[in-house]
Amino acid sequence: MPANANLSQPSPRIANGASRFAIEVRASPIHRFGVFTGEIIASGERIIEYTGERISYLEAARRSVQPIVYLLWVAPGRIIDGSTGGSGAEFVNHSCEPNLIVDIAEGRVYFVSAREIACDEELLLDYRMRADDRDASPMPCRCGAPGCRGFLNAP
């Protein structure tokens, strides 16, 4: 293993049993890795649960200074860090025109198909990052969608 290997980054994979659909993590034209389908998925299907360590706001703030984070806000005071115990859903990239929506049920987070998704299509979610922090630097969006807002943290 190289001396400069980052051991805190998760390996790019879908956990065994995390989805009943054929999905895989591989290189993405949007950002690093993405999750791609191996079959057609109908609209309204729960594709994968977003899993990981449940952490506090304070711990999320501490971890968010890393260059790559997998934090998902579930509810006030409840955040999931997909880099620890993640299902592979943490590799779903952002798009301003997503094919997934989030379904939160009984404290669990599922990514659900918003429409029929073609075989070999990348699974995409609108991260809906808020731009209410005046000190936050704009985060460029690279989704390439025709209706792209230009930034992940756009109002």
Side-chain angles (χ1 to χ4, degrees):
M1 180 176 294
N4 63 352
N6 186 345
L7 299 176
S8 67
Q9 293 300 315
S11 59
R13 63 172 180 73
I14 301 296
N16 289 336
S19 180
R20 64 186 178 94
F21 296 99
I23 58 175
E24 68 177 339
V25 177
R26 63 177 195 247
S28 169
I30 295 173
H31 183 253
R32 292 176 25 97
F33 301 106
V35 180
F36 293 81
T37 63
E39 63 183 294
I40 296 171
I41 300 175
S43 179
E45 295 285 347
R46 277 188 178 170
I47 298 173
I48 192 167
E49 181 180 358
Y50 193 99
T51 63
E53 182 181 5
R54 292 176 181 265
I55 60 174
S56 67
Y57 283 141
L58 185 61
E59 182 60 17
R62 188 185 73 74
R63 294 181 189 188
S64 68
V65 299
Q66 298 173 17
I68 298 171
V69 295
Y70 299 101
L71 302 176
L72 187 128
W73 182 87
V74 179
R78 293 178 29 194
I79 297 166
I80 299 174
D81 183 353
S83 68
T84 304
S87 62
E90 65 273 17
F91 294 107
V92 169
N93 280 318
H94 164 83
S95 176
C96 296
E97 295 178 5
N99 53 19
L100 299 176
I101 57 172
V102 173
D103 177 29
I104 300 174
E106 298 178 15
R108 297 174 74 173
V109 178
Y110 301 95
F111 292 171
V112 177
S113 52
R115 59 166 173 77
E116 183 176 282
I117 302 173
C119 183
D120 204 39
E121 186 175 346
E122 184 170 2
L123 298 177
L124 301 166
L125 184 70
D126 187 342
Y127 288 178
R128 300 188 184 273
M129 296 177 76
R130 295 179 298 187
D132 57 358
D133 183 353
R134 292 185 185 143
D135 296 328
S137 299
M139 297 173 67
C141 179
R142 295 179 181 90
C143 75
C148 180
R149 296 185 299 263
F151 297 95
L152 284 120
N153 54 345

